[in-house]
Amino acid sequence: MSRPTYLRIADDLRHRIQEGELAPGERVPSRTQLSRRYTVSDRVAVEAVKVLMNEGLVEGRPGSGTYVRRRPEARRLHHEPPGASPPVALNGARRATSAEATAPAPIAERLGVDAGADVMRTDYLFFDDEEPIVLATSWEPLALTRDTAVMWPEQGPFASQGPVCRMASIGVTVTRTTETVSARPALEEESRRLDLPRSAVVIVLRRTCLAGERPVETAEFVLSAERHELSQEFEIGETR
């Protein structure tokens, strides 16, 4: 089946943007101009532009029109050693809120505890030069940390030290971490808190710290895929 007309118009406009025919900051043809160019109704022209808005390629300016969106140059973030909090080097502040909670099934599985087990959940918003840059959520089993000096991750003598240092202070040695990196469309709340356009794509880094085979913390970090790229450097030992 042929593609709907509004999608074919969106395809043509997208191609013109990608080829530089419509440059960043340039005004997109008006609804009337698009209607005449493609011989379609105003409604079809509006739907075509909406597609590009949802993709973050164009943006509307009240009282002015629609313009090709200027994409920021990707900022490289150095991926810190396992167990760092957060796992990227930042220059700014953080906001953190901790509360006792019960583990939903996916988190319980990652922590190796029963669904509904008591956990300490900490929600973070990290800034770099006052720009919101990383959202994160961390979960730790309270069966391990309750009534210790590190029960509250952002309080006490080991506040903000990251799970490796904090766990070591209570005699638990983190021996390894597992990490997975994926990309997906941003959730509405993520877009709002990170000041992202609609339908933005985010990088999701999921990390679990283990002491032997026992998970002691699991966390998720979310950042813009358009604005940032992660880099990491590994040292390779001598080969024999």
Side-chain angles (χ1 to χ4, degrees):
M1 296 180 61
S2 61
R3 285 168 64 77
T5 301
Y6 78 97
L7 290 180
R8 288 189 278 113
I9 295 172
D11 290 342
D12 186 50
L13 291 173
R14 187 186 303 106
H15 177 75
R16 293 171 65 190
I17 291 171
Q18 292 171 341
E19 292 298 311
E21 183 180 341
L22 289 172
E26 185 175 343
R27 193 174 188 273
V28 176
S30 68
R31 175 178 57 186
T32 301
Q33 291 171 323
L34 291 174
S35 299
R36 290 174 180 171
R37 178 184 177 109
Y38 297 101
T39 318
V40 296
S41 67
D42 285 0
R43 181 182 61 82
V44 172
V46 169
E47 290 301 314
V49 173
K50 282 183 179 179
V51 171
L52 301 183
M53 281 188 172
N54 289 334
E55 293 176 356
L57 291 176
V58 302
E59 59 186 1
R61 299 178 187 173
S64 179
T66 304
Y67 293 79
V68 178
R69 183 166 163 264
R70 297 182 185 275
R71 290 176 172 264
E73 184 177 350
R75 181 187 304 174
R76 177 166 294 186
L77 299 178
H78 180 66
H79 189 173
E80 293 289 274
S85 181
V88 291
L90 304 177
N91 299 322
R94 70 171 73 192
R95 295 177 188 167
T97 304
S98 297
E100 295 187 39
T102 56
I107 300 304
E109 182 177 359
R110 285 159 57 179
L111 286 175
V113 298
D114 294 332
D118 293 336
V119 294
M120 180 63 70
R121 171 176 172 152
T122 304
D123 294 296
Y124 296 92
L125 178 56
F126 295 95
F127 296 83
D128 194 26
D129 295 328
E130 299 185 358
E131 175 189 356
I133 190 172
V134 177
L135 279 173
T137 305
S138 167
W139 297 266
E140 297 177 353
L142 280 171
L144 178 66
T145 63
R146 188 182 294 280
D147 298 327
T148 70
V150 298
M151 175 178 170
W152 298 91
E154 296 297 310
Q155 299 178 23
F158 299 97
S160 307
Q161 294 299 305
V164 173
C165 177
R166 292 175 50 254
M167 293 299 166
S169 73
I170 59 172
V172 177
T173 302
V174 174
T175 56
R176 62 190 177 98
T177 64
T178 63
E179 291 184 352
T180 60
V181 180
S182 60
R184 59 165 172 76
L187 304 178
E188 182 177 351
E189 177 69 5
E190 293 167 344
S191 295
R192 182 185 67 80
R193 299 188 69 194
L194 290 175
D195 193 23
L196 302 177
R198 290 181 297 175
S199 299
V201 174
V202 292
I203 298 170
V204 180
L205 189 152
R206 180 181 296 175
R207 176 192 72 195
T208 300
C209 295
L210 302 100
E213 297 301 317
R214 181 181 185 180
V216 298
E217 186 248 18
T218 192
E220 291 184 3
F221 302 85
V222 178
L223 61 156
S224 167
E226 178 184 65
R227 298 177 182 173
H228 306 103
E229 58 184 27
L230 294 179
S231 68
Q232 186 171 20
E233 181 177 325
F234 296 92
E235 292 189 5
I236 306 300
E238 182 179 354
T239 58
R240 295 184 180 181

